[in-house]
Amino acid sequence: MSTTDMITFWDGVYAARPAAADPQPNDRLAETVTGLPPGDALDLGCGDGGDALWLARRGWHVTAVDISAVAVERLAGLARSHGLGDRVIAERHDLHESFPQGGFDLICAHYLHTPFDLDRATVLRVAAHALRLGGRLLVVDHGSTAPWSWNQDPDVRYPSPQEVAAGIDLDPATWMVERADAPRRIATGPGGRTAEVTDHVLLIRRTA
């Protein structure tokens, strides 16, 4: 599948739904970041932009990236409309081919799943190397299938946080796993529909 096909697919996903006026952050981000001093953050797969805006409101400078130009342009407009244009930089990246420049105190990748081939382990390894000393990489994956998910394959298997960490294969002398678990929560989907879902949460801190 070509990059053009992937961009077309994800542009279509976002264009098909109304832009959110005030998208909300992911629960796992809020519970992890609350209490941390603000710094420079990178949001991989920013989507509607709820995480980036939430971080910016709390003093973080955020680089938010997505493969979809529709998502990126919407987020840039939202940041300006909320008076956060100086704290949010929205960039389009195909993480197969490019990665944002700079060092970061927080990098988050929420539900970085795709129907296309993506070498996630390599992307997350590059992300870990972009952390500053003391910085954290937060990876939150689906651990179950929500009724409204685009992927309703009954045979889908979700790797555990421990398996994701093993795939990234980081040197324990430099990076430490601070959290690897599978909490449940009540999620709200399109039209207000709710369901219990499982998240796979992996938090890695750069220690050297």
Side-chain angles (χ1 to χ4, degrees):
M1 187 69 67
S2 71
T3 295
T4 300
D5 291 332
M6 289 188 286
I7 293 171
T8 299
F9 174 83
W10 285 112
D11 278 348
V13 168
Y14 289 106
R17 65 194 192 204
D22 190 17
Q24 298 303 298
N26 284 295
D27 291 348
R28 304 307 174 198
L29 175 73
E31 71 183 22
T32 300
V33 174
T34 296
L36 294 181
D40 294 312
L42 173 61
D43 184 6
L44 298 176
C46 62
D48 292 324
D51 290 344
L53 296 174
W54 186 88
L55 287 166
R57 289 187 178 109
R58 282 151 183 80
W60 293 79
H61 288 88
V62 186
T63 300
V65 305
D66 204 283
I67 194 172
S68 167
V70 174
V72 167
E73 290 167 6
R74 283 181 175 179
L75 175 54
L78 270 178
R80 290 191 297 269
S81 70
H82 287 277
L84 299 169
D86 61 334
R87 291 190 177 275
V88 177
I89 298 172
E91 301 178 352
R92 199 199 71 77
H93 283 270
D94 175 0
L95 295 173
H96 278 112
E97 301 177 354
S98 63
F99 196 89
Q101 297 297 308
F104 302 94
D105 304 293
L106 172 69
I107 300 176
C108 53
H110 280 79
Y111 313 112
L112 194 62
H113 303 290
T114 175
F116 305 101
D117 290 335
L118 174 66
D119 186 352
R120 283 195 353 135
T122 295
V123 170
L124 296 175
R125 191 176 305 116
V126 170
H129 281 271
L131 290 171
R132 294 174 180 145
L133 180 62
R136 290 172 170 85
L137 170 64
L138 174 63
V139 182
V140 182
D141 292 332
H142 293 302
S144 64
T145 302
W148 52 81
S149 172
W150 52 264
N151 184 1
Q152 292 295 325
D153 181 355
D155 297 321
V156 67
R157 181 182 177 278
Y158 298 106
S160 70
Q162 292 81 2
E163 289 174 302
V164 174
I168 304 173
D169 192 26
L170 297 171
D171 184 349
T174 304
W175 292 271
M176 180 179 71
V177 174
E178 288 192 323
R179 179 180 180 182
D181 60 2
R184 296 181 179 182
R185 62 184 171 87
I186 300 298
T188 302
R193 186 179 183 185
T194 61
E196 184 179 69
V197 298
T198 300
D199 291 322
H200 284 172
V201 183
L202 175 64
L203 182 65
I204 294 172
R205 181 165 60 91
R206 185 163 193 166
T207 57

